[in-house]
Amino acid sequence: MRRTFSILLSNPLSVIGLILVGTVVFSALFADFIAPFPSHRGAVVDFSNFNQPPHWPNIFGTDLVGRDVFSRILYAYRISLMLGVVVLAIAVPIGVTVGLAAGYLGGWADFILMRLTDVFLSIPPLVLAMSVMGVLEPTLTNGMLAVTTMWWPWYARLVYNVTRSEAQEGYVLAAEIIGASRWHIMFREILPNCVPSIVTKMTLDLGFVILIASSLSFLGLGVQAPTPDLGSMVAEGGNYLPDSWWLTVFPSLAILIAVFGFNLLGDALRQILGSDQ
């Protein structure tokens, strides 16, 4: 822990990333207490205060039906982080299992699993997610499913490469000699050596998941109104530029802060964990 914080604090960019990520997570967790207008996360209408520029107490202005933009951004962070965590919680185990099995077992398992992985990787991520959402109803749950579909192959390829390298190490050969099962070797011997790469990629991917989810919402294929979402807020505000600039600028900055923060923190973890990925 001392070494971890020492490396984090020794790099100004790492400190910035930690602060940005901390701000995003804190805002999402405590939105109910921070938001000046908690009820504005839903279908609230206040035509006496609609489309107002930043002023007190609406520091980010109000939208076309009078809802506080700052409050909606806080709740949009909660939705985005929840989506990111759920997507990675599903995609990582699938990808890790596929990568371990293909990398260690080899043979037909390697051929079938990695060719399937290559098929998914050959399709641009946003196009694949759009294709899934084009078939399903645009809801938060289906949005998670769409993003998960495009995310597990990256972990399969990452773990596969590490497993192929680790499978030739002495400790794996020793485990095979003493009669350890394949499952034991894959999950108890090889997997711990994949953890640094996996953790680093997960940190980087949280920002990208938020970006992809916002892109789907921007196109009308993600979270639907009145649920607050950064992408849909940007899309809605874009129709009223440049006059109502705050409707687009502040949600866009919120996306930038989240993606930039997770990327900086991921780079810091790469240094700390000694990951090559």
Side-chain angles (χ1 to χ4, degrees):
M1 292 299 294
R2 287 183 179 180
R3 178 175 176 271
T4 299
F5 283 108
S6 175
I7 296 177
L8 280 175
L9 298 178
S10 64
N11 188 339
L13 292 179
S14 301
V15 174
I16 294 174
L18 191 60
I19 293 174
L20 293 179
V21 170
T23 301
V24 171
V25 174
F26 183 84
S27 300
L29 292 177
F30 299 99
D32 293 332
F33 305 99
I34 302 174
F37 301 95
S39 62
H40 287 196
R41 62 181 171 178
V44 174
V45 176
D46 182 9
F47 287 122
S48 64
N49 194 35
F50 77 98
N51 202 28
Q52 294 295 312
H55 64 283
W56 186 261
N58 306 111
I59 58 175
F60 284 2
T62 60
D63 63 12
L64 300 177
V65 294
R67 295 174 299 192
D68 181 56
V69 174
F70 177 68
S71 298
R72 289 183 62 78
I73 286 176
L74 294 179
Y75 284 103
Y77 266 150
R78 176 179 291 181
I79 296 294
S80 297
L81 283 180
M82 180 179 69
L83 190 148
V85 170
V86 171
V87 165
L88 293 181
I90 299 173
V92 172
I94 295 175
V96 167
T97 302
V98 170
L100 282 172
Y104 180 69
L105 299 179
W108 283 103
D110 184 351
F111 179 79
I112 295 174
L113 293 176
M114 295 318 297
R115 295 302 75 76
L116 177 64
T117 300
D118 290 339
V119 169
F120 279 92
L121 290 176
S122 67
I123 305 174
L126 186 57
V127 173
L128 179 59
M130 289 173 59
S131 300
V132 175
M133 289 304 296
V135 176
L136 303 175
E137 181 183 357
T139 63
L140 177 60
T141 301
N142 290 338
M144 293 178 182
L145 176 62
V147 180
T148 302
T149 301
M150 55 172 280
W151 227 267
W152 70 264
W154 299 97
Y155 287 90
R157 174 60 67 181
L158 171 67
V159 174
Y160 172 79
N161 291 334
V162 177
T163 302
R164 292 284 292 177
S165 174
E166 294 294 327
Q168 307 303 320
E169 295 294 329
Y171 70 91
V172 174
L173 298 177
E176 292 174 344
I177 291 174
I178 64 175
S181 67
R182 291 180 173 181
W183 287 100
H184 175 90
I185 293 174
M186 286 191 295
F187 290 97
R188 297 294 298 273
E189 304 293 342
I190 297 178
L191 181 57
N193 291 285
C194 301
V195 169
S197 298
I198 294 172
V199 171
T200 299
K201 183 166 177 57
M202 286 179 64
T203 306
L204 293 168
D205 280 353
L206 268 173
F208 288 115
V209 170
I210 292 174
L211 183 60
I212 292 293
S214 298
S215 299
L216 289 175
S217 297
F218 179 85
L219 298 172
L221 299 174
V223 179
Q224 300 297 301
T227 303
D229 181 85
L230 297 174
S232 58
M233 293 173 70
V234 172
E236 179 183 340
N239 297 322
Y240 302 94
L241 284 172
D243 296 332
S244 302
W245 55 269
W246 57 91
L247 297 178
T248 300
V249 170
F250 290 122
S252 299
L253 287 175
I255 296 174
L256 175 63
I257 289 172
V259 176
F260 191 52
F262 279 112
N263 272 273
L264 291 178
L265 186 58
D267 286 337
L269 289 177
R270 179 182 303 170
Q271 297 177 21
I272 294 170
L273 298 176
S275 173
D276 296 328
Q277 303 295 331

